[in-house]
Amino acid sequence: MKITDKFLILMMLSSPLLTSCHRGGKRRFVRRTAFIMGTVINVDVPAESAWAADTAIEAFRLVDSLMSPLKDSSDLSRINGNAGRWVRVSPLTAECIRYALQIGELSGGAFDITAGALVHLWHFDTEKGWVEPSKSSIDSASKFVDFRKIEVNDDSVRIGRGQRIDLGGIAKGYAIDLAVERLKRLGIRNALIDAGGDIYALGNGPHGKWRIGIRDPFNRGNIMGILALSDKSVCTSGDYERFIKVNGVRYSHIFDPRTGWPVRGVVSVTVIGPISTMSDGLATAVFVLGPKKGLKLINSLDGYETMIVTESDTLFSPGFRNYLVSGEF
Ligand code: AMP
Ligand code: MG
């Protein structure tokens, strides 16, 4: 079915209260909420393990302290401030950058963290609001976009002179994986982590597999479909609230490294898969690649599925529907 002019985002089918309990099933869950990485983080854990939720929240604080462009002391700011020189970073930052380089290769450069030069030029990495740069400054910033110039050696990173990296397309997914790993280490087998619509469903929820609603933001009360997930991440790129308009044309906050301009035409990309870091980065990559090449990329990867919404169509990889328990698709 075609969904025209509709933007989909994911939301949990549970109470929006800051701390909520799910009752009525075999398991009872409690929620911890925090605002980190510019988004609302919800962690639902079994009531008897409520203490464990803080560990998951701390994982987000840690990743934010390492990878935020807004913090001078972050690994990211130190890497950018020392372009051309080796910088010692946390093993976590090095690992996240390795993932980013892998997705860069897989996507043929559609995903490129050195698009940070463009993100910065358009002021997308500040809290002040965006600016439209001149064509010549876009052209000169684009010259520095090339993830293949990044080197990672153990826990040291070196980017090329003039380059600037941005981990906004992958850091949330990485933080989710870290949070899940920490929960598992504490013996938690069932939990839901929701970082502003990027989600990991660990084990089961109150009534079996976790249920994740696909919401139509033009009609926020309307749930367009429901996914049933267990031990899977689901990440979405493209979000109704994050776009810019230049001369009446609507652009996303995701850049096409080939043009230096934000992508237009794609509305939303959702990726389901086993590793959140990958799902997050891949969703951004597919957003840039567009439906045809995006589907090809996801179909080439084991365990990953996607739903791509454009301005005129909705496309699915073959296995995506296996996760849909209901929907108008
Ligand atoms: P997401 O919401 O996960 O798709 O991430 C979007 C963010 O990724 C943007 O706000 C930028 O910080 C960053 N970004 C933009 N374009 C790219 C790109 N082509 N490759 C990698 N990261 C990007
Ligand atoms: Mg992403």
Side-chain angles (χ1 to χ4, degrees), residues 1-13 212-226 236 238-241 250 267-268 270 307 309-310 314 326-329:
M1 179 201 144
K2 285 189 176 182
I3 304 170
T4 307
D5 289 341
K6 282 177 177 167
F7 291 77
L8 304 182
I9 59 173
L10 292 168
M11 69 166 205
M12 268 180 54
L13 289 179
I212 312 290
I214 302 174
R215 188 169 65 178
D216 170 7
F218 283 129
N219 182 2
R220 290 188 155 255
N222 188 22
I223 301 295
M224 305 190 70
I226 297 171
T236 298
D239 150 355
Y240 185 59
E241 274 115 22
R250 186 180 170 128
V267 172
S268 139
T270 297
M307 176 179 80
V309 182
T310 69
T314 300
S326 71
E328 301 169 19
F329 305 103

Side-chain angles (χ1 to χ4, degrees), residues 195-259:
D198 289 342
I199 292 169
Y200 192 90
L202 176 66
N204 288 317
H207 309 285
K209 286 185 178 179
W210 288 102
R211 303 287 158 128
I212 312 290
I214 302 174
R215 188 169 65 178
D216 170 7
F218 283 129
N219 182 2
R220 290 188 155 255
N222 188 22
I223 301 295
M224 305 190 70
I226 297 171
L227 298 166
L229 299 174
S230 180
D231 297 328
K232 288 277 181 293
S233 64
V234 52
C235 294
T236 298
S237 278
D239 150 355
Y240 185 59
E241 274 115 22
R242 289 180 79 192
F243 68 90
I244 60 168
K245 262 191 175 173
V246 183
N247 300 327
V249 180
R250 186 180 170 128
Y251 292 90
S252 73
H253 61 291
I254 296 171
F255 285 90
D256 186 336
R258 294 162 297 192
T259 63

Side-chain angles (χ1 to χ4, degrees), residues 110-113 115 119 166 168-169 237 242 253-255 257 280 284 288:
F111 186 85
D112 191 330
I113 53 173
V119 173
D166 180 286
S237 278
R242 289 180 79 192
H253 61 291
I254 296 171
F255 285 90
D280 188 0
T284 310
V288 175

Side-chain angles (χ1 to χ4, degrees), residues 269-282:
V269 174
T270 297
V271 172
I272 300 175
I275 302 171
S276 292
T277 315
M278 293 295 290
S279 299
D280 188 0
L282 287 168

Side-chain angles (χ1 to χ4, degrees), residues 88-302:
R88 189 78 192 262
V89 296
S90 153
L92 301 177
T93 307
E95 185 181 38
C96 185
I97 292 175
R98 275 193 209 97
Y99 270 112
L101 299 182
Q102 189 188 339
I103 299 167
E105 289 292 348
L106 285 169
S107 65
F111 186 85
D112 191 330
I113 53 173
T114 62
L118 300 163
V119 173
H120 189 61
L121 189 66
W122 288 72
H123 289 198
F124 281 10
D125 55 352
T126 69
E127 283 168 329
K128 290 183 213 133
W130 63 279
V131 295
E132 186 191 344
S134 66
K135 190 180 172 313
S136 64
S137 57
I138 292 174
D139 288 346
S140 30
S142 296
K143 291 193 189 107
F144 295 105
V145 178
D146 182 1
F147 72 94
R148 291 191 172 90
K149 295 212 171 97
I150 299 174
E151 297 166 273
V152 185
N153 192 349
D154 293 329
D155 299 336
S156 295
V157 178
R158 179 164 71 178
I159 61 173
R161 267 169 206 258
Q163 286 195 312
R164 173 180 278 269
I165 59 169
D166 180 286
L167 294 171
I170 194 170
K172 242 196 282 168
Y174 186 79
I176 293 173
D177 283 336
L178 188 66
V180 170
E181 190 188 305
R182 290 183 167 194
L183 287 177
K184 281 185 179 166
R185 232 186 279 148
L186 294 173
I188 308 298
R189 294 209 298 273
N190 303 299
L192 192 79
I193 299 181
D194 178 356
D198 289 342
I199 292 169
Y200 192 90
L202 176 66
N204 288 317
H207 309 285
K209 286 185 178 179
W210 288 102
R211 303 287 158 128
I212 312 290
I214 302 174
R215 188 169 65 178
D216 170 7
F218 283 129
N219 182 2
R220 290 188 155 255
N222 188 22
I223 301 295
M224 305 190 70
I226 297 171
L227 298 166
L229 299 174
S230 180
D231 297 328
K232 288 277 181 293
S233 64
V234 52
C235 294
T236 298
S237 278
D239 150 355
Y240 185 59
E241 274 115 22
R242 289 180 79 192
F243 68 90
I244 60 168
K245 262 191 175 173
V246 183
N247 300 327
V249 180
R250 186 180 170 128
Y251 292 90
S252 73
H253 61 291
I254 296 171
F255 285 90
D256 186 336
R258 294 162 297 192
T259 63
W261 272 76
V263 179
R264 53 182 291 214
V266 179
V267 172
S268 139
V269 174
T270 297
V271 172
I272 300 175
I275 302 171
S276 292
T277 315
M278 293 295 290
S279 299
D280 188 0
L282 287 168
T284 310
V286 170
F287 199 96
V288 175
L289 287 170
K292 206 167 155 226
K293 289 185 180 162
L295 275 174
K296 201 171 157 207
L297 168 61
I298 296 297
N299 290 341
S300 75
L301 301 172
D302 250 7

